Structure formats: C-alpha cells, structure tokens
C-alpha cells in the first residue's frame, strides 16, 4: 500500500468508526426510550384494565400530536441545518430551538388544561394532567434532538436513563392513586426532571423570548415540517378517536396493547430522526452518491427487524401474554400480524424519509406524508366500519405499505434533482 493510499484509508476508517459510534449511541438511546415506554404501557394496562387504558391511550396519542408540532417547528430544522456544525453555531441554535419547544409546550399545555377541566368525566382529568406536564415533556425531547445534532448521543442516552430511573417510583405512587390522571402526572413529572437535567448537561438556557426569531429563520422548513408531522400524528389521533366512536374505547386499548408488543420498534420509528437525519445530512455532505444506499440499508434493516420481532410474538404462549398485558392480552393478541406489517412498512418508509429530510426536500416529504396520512385515516376508519377492530388494523397495514412506496418514489426523484443541480440544501448559520 502506498503512502497516499494509507492517508486515504485511515480517514475513511475513522469516519466509519465515528458513524458506528454515533449510531450505537442512537440505538442505546432508543432502547432506553422504548423500555420506558413499554414499561409505562404495561404497568398502566395491568393496573387500570382495557377501558381505562383506552382513556390513557387517548391522552398518549394527543401527546404525540403536540410532540410533532414541537418537532416540526423547533427540532427538525435544528437537526437538518445544525448537525455537525461548529459549537458556537450549535449552542446558539439550541438555545432558540429548545426555547421554541418550551413555548409550544406552555401554550398548548394551557389549552389542554382548560379543555380537560371543561370535559370532566373519565377523560377530562387525564387531559388536564397532560396539559400541566407538556412543557417538561417537550423540553426533554428537544434536548435529545440537540445532543444528536451535535453528535453526542451519549448525553441523550444518559438523559433518557435519568427519565427511566425517575419514572419507576413515580409509577408506584400513581398505582396507589389508581387513576389515569395520576399515571399521566407521574409520567410527565419524571420527564420534567430529565428536562432539568438536560440543562445541566448542556449548560444552555432555553430562550423562549427568541422563539419568534427562530420560527422566522426556519420558516421555509419549519412550517412544512409542522404540517407533515401533525398530519402523521393527527392521523393517528383521528383513527383512535374514530375507532373509539365506531367500535368503542376498549378497541383503542386493544390496538394500543398490540402496539406495545411491538414497542421496541415503534419507539425507534417515533424517534428515528434523532439519529438518522443528522447522519443522512453528514453522508450528504461527505459522499452524496452514498445517500440512497444509506437510506435503503436503514429502511430495509428496520423492516426486517420488525418482521422478525412480530414473528417471535406469534409464538408467545397465551399465559405469558396475559402475564404481561393482563386483561388486554386477549384482544391485542389478535392484531399482532396486522401491527407487524404496519411497523415493517413504516420502517421501510423511514429510510426514504430520512433522505428527503437531509436533502431539505420539505415540499416532497410533505406531499408524501399527506398522502400516507390520508390513507392511514381512510384505511383505519373504513376497516373499522366494515369489520371492526381487526378490519381497522388491516386497513392501517395496507395504508402504511402504500405510503412507504410513495416515500421511495419521491426520494428517487429528489436524488436525481440533487445530482443534476448540486445546490447545497443545508445551511450552517
């Protein structure tokens, strides 16, 4: 090997090792997050039963909508434009981005609190509790995005571990109270503690007063990502509300129980942009011709993992399933095949979605997400009206696979445009 070849090979090897290190911390962080989500879901399901668990699930999917509002406006532009940039640029962007997330949580939290107080009944207290906890929940998520944008996934992992450790005693206290609202408060309070620890880790104070400036600077991406993200989580919320109206709240609990069984992969998909969008942006800067291959490997790996996990779930003895989910197991176990196909389809699509985000192709990704969301709601509610809970699950599986195909078609077109134009899509200031 010549001296020149050694110089070429060494940096390439170092880059690969750095990539593996960042992805490893991303996987570790998602493992910590998925374990926490799984434990919360299982604990609440066993403590409250299928109907009350359905109420908790309605609060959960509402949180998902608000979380995606925050991500679209605050942290998605951050990871696209400030991944791997100089520390000074990153710190200034993080202060404004986390301030925006905190502002979103405060404003929407007040709305949820007032709505919950007005609703009353079984659902109202859960939504009121969610409103109180939203600022802390959204700030904790914003720190995770910030750390991955800087390539310090270890800090995100530690932050999620802190949340998980604080969550354990909080769940025990909530179980003694025995209400959905108590579990929501326990879940949110532990997240707020982790959000405070994020400030200690970063030494950056979120600046809510600069949120308006951040929104103005990132409006070309932020508002498209907002619509895209809300259409995704909003479709899930509409499907949950519609399923509850058509079949009953217990059906919502059954679907959520089946999703819990796929928890490790669903948690990875929900937080995938923590790792994959920053890495796709780095691939685009350093080796643009490798972006398509990177996205394909990412999506195929996710889909294969989901199929393997779902196959293993089908072999679980009924007694073990009942031990895990309690009374929710019987209805949830009948949806394993459909949920597995849904997660596999979504996993394949996330590879293409990461590529479109890295390219800054917000218009194309928005088009994909609106199509996928429309299919999701139509398939989920149409199937529920025709066949009930199982029909809704089959409709969602078909919609997810169809949406994945559209994501890949759009990525292929975007890559062609990028190769022809060679216009940088990522700003660093």
């Amino acid at each position: 090997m010549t001296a020149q070849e050694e110089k070429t090979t060494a940096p390439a090897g170092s880059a690969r090792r750095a990539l593996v290190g960042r992805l490893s911390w991303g996987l570790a962080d998602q493992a910590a997050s998925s374990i926490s989500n799984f434990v919360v879901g299982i604990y609440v399901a066993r403590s409250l039963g299928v109907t009350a668990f359905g109420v908790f699930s309605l609060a959960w999917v509402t949180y998902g909508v608000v979380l995606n509002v925050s991500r679209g406006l605050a942290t998605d532009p951050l990871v696209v434009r400030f991944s791997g940039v100089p520390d000074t640029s990153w710190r200034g962007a993080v202060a404004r981005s986390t301030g925006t997330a905190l502002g979103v949580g405060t404003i929407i939290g007040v709305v949820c609190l007032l709505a919950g107080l007005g609703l009353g009944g079984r659902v109202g207290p859960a939504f009121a509790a969610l409103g109180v906890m939203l600022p802390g929940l959204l700030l904790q998520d914003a720190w995770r995005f910030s750390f991955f944008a800087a390539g310090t996934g270890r800090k995100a992992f530690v932050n999620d571990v802190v949340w998980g450790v604080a969550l354990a005693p909080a769940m025990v206290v909530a179980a003694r109270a025995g209400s959905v609202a108590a579990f929501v408060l326990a879940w949110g309070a532990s997240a707020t503690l982790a959000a405070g620890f994020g400030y200690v880790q970063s030494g950056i104070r979120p600046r809510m007063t600069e949120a308006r400036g951040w929104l103005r600077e990132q409006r070309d991406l932020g508002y498209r990502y907002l619509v895209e993200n809300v259409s995704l989580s909003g479709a899930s919320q509409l499907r949950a509300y519609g399923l509850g109206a058509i079949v009953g709240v217990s059906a919502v609990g059954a679907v959520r129980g089946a999703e819990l069984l796929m928890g490790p992969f669903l948690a990875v998909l929900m937080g995938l942009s923590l790792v994959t969008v920053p890495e796709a942006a780095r691939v685009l800067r350093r080796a643009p011709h490798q972006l398509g291959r990177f996205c394909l490997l990412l999506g195929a790996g996710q889909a294969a993992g989901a199929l393997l996990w779902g196959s293993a779930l089908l072999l679980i003895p009924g007694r073990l399933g009942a031990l895990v989910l309690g009374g929710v197991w019987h209805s949830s176990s009948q949806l394993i095949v459909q949920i597995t196909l849904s997660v596999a389809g979504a996993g394949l699509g996330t590879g293409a979605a990461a590529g479109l985000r890295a390219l800054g192709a917000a218009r194309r990704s928005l088009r994909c997400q609106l199509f996928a969301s429309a299919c999701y709601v139509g398939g989920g509610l149409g199937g529920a009206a025709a066949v009930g809970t199982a029909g809704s699950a089959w409709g969602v599986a078909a919609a997810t696979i169809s949406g994945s195909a559209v994501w890949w078609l759009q990525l292929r077109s975007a890559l062609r445009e990028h190769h022809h134009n060679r216009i940088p899509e990522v700003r660093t200031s």
Side-chain angles (χ1 to χ4, degrees):
M1 181 180 291
T2 67
Q4 181 61 39
E5 288 173 333
E6 290 178 357
K7 290 179 181 179
T8 302
T9 303
S14 299
R16 281 194 295 270
R17 286 193 296 272
L19 171 61
V20 171
R22 289 191 296 268
L23 289 177
S24 297
W25 281 117
L27 291 174
D29 176 72
Q30 290 305 324
S33 177
S34 64
I35 290 172
S36 295
N37 291 337
F38 183 76
V39 169
V40 168
I42 295 300
Y43 201 79
V44 175
R46 289 184 59 82
S47 300
L48 299 180
V50 66
T51 301
F53 184 57
V55 175
F56 181 84
S57 299
L58 291 177
W60 184 283
V61 297
T62 302
Y63 158 72
V65 174
V66 181
L67 179 65
N68 279 298
V69 171
S70 175
R71 288 180 175 179
L73 293 176
T75 50
D76 282 345
L78 176 75
V79 297
V80 170
R81 287 179 166 158
F82 295 90
S83 292
V85 302
D87 185 67
T88 302
S89 297
W90 174 80
R91 293 181 69 86
V94 168
R96 289 173 287 157
S97 176
T98 54
T100 302
L102 192 57
V104 170
T106 301
I107 293 171
I108 302 183
V110 170
V111 174
C112 280
L113 175 61
L114 295 176
L117 294 175
L119 283 172
R122 303 185 68 174
V123 176
F127 276 80
L130 178 64
V132 173
M133 293 292 106
L134 274 177
L137 284 162
L138 298 191
L139 181 58
Q140 192 275 338
D141 185 73
W143 287 127
R144 296 173 69 211
F145 272 80
S146 301
F147 294 140
F148 277 106
T152 55
R154 176 180 57 85
K155 291 185 178 180
F157 169 73
V158 172
N159 193 278
D160 267 328
V161 170
V162 169
W163 186 2
V165 171
L167 189 60
M171 287 288 108
V172 173
V173 173
R176 292 178 179 174
S179 68
V180 176
F183 280 105
V184 174
L185 288 172
W187 167 54
S190 54
T192 301
L193 178 64
F197 182 64
Y199 168 73
V200 175
Q201 288 177 291
S202 65
I204 300 173
R205 181 173 59 86
R207 299 176 182 171
M208 289 181 60
T209 56
E210 296 189 18
R212 182 175 297 179
W214 174 261
L215 295 175
R216 184 171 58 252
E217 293 170 11
Q218 310 301 328
R219 62 182 179 275
D220 58 326
L221 293 184
Y223 292 118
R224 285 195 175 99
Y225 289 158
L226 169 64
V227 176
E228 180 182 330
N229 289 356
V230 171
S231 69
L232 170 65
S233 53
S236 177
Q237 189 174 28
L238 286 174
R239 187 255 184 137
Y241 289 165
L243 184 61
I246 296 170
V247 183
V249 176
S250 60
V252 180
V255 170
R256 177 60 186 154
E259 291 174 347
L260 280 174
L261 295 174
M262 293 295 297
F265 293 97
L266 285 172
V268 169
L269 291 177
M270 288 176 63
L272 199 60
S273 57
L274 289 172
V275 181
T276 56
V277 175
E279 292 306 324
R282 289 185 177 94
V283 171
L284 181 63
R285 289 193 185 99
R286 296 171 183 171
H289 61 285
Q290 293 289 337
L291 181 59
R293 181 173 177 270
F294 173 84
C295 295
L296 180 60
L297 290 174
L298 172 67
Q302 288 285 331
L307 290 173
L308 287 173
W309 183 267
S311 299
L313 289 177
L314 293 173
L315 303 178
I316 292 179
R319 287 179 297 178
L320 180 58
L323 181 64
V324 173
L325 286 180
V328 180
W329 165 256
H330 177 71
S331 52
S332 295
S333 62
Q334 301 174 33
L335 307 176
I336 291 176
V337 173
Q338 301 96 307
I339 294 294
T340 298
L341 292 175
S342 297
V343 175
L348 185 61
T350 54
L356 288 175
R357 286 287 175 94
L359 289 164
R363 185 173 299 175
R364 288 186 179 275
S365 61
L366 174 59
R367 192 180 306 154
C368 292
Q369 192 56 66
L370 290 176
F371 173 82
S373 297
C375 290
Y376 184 95
V377 174
L381 297 186
V387 194
T389 307
S392 179
W394 279 117
V396 166
T400 305
I401 294 171
S402 300
S404 178
V406 173
W407 278 105
W408 278 102
L409 289 173
Q410 288 295 321
L411 177 61
R412 185 175 66 173
S413 298
L415 286 172
R416 286 176 178 173
E417 287 182 1
H418 180 77
H419 292 157
H420 284 308
N421 300 329
R422 293 294 184 184
I423 298 176
E425 294 284 355
V426 181
R427 294 202 305 253
T428 59
S429 62

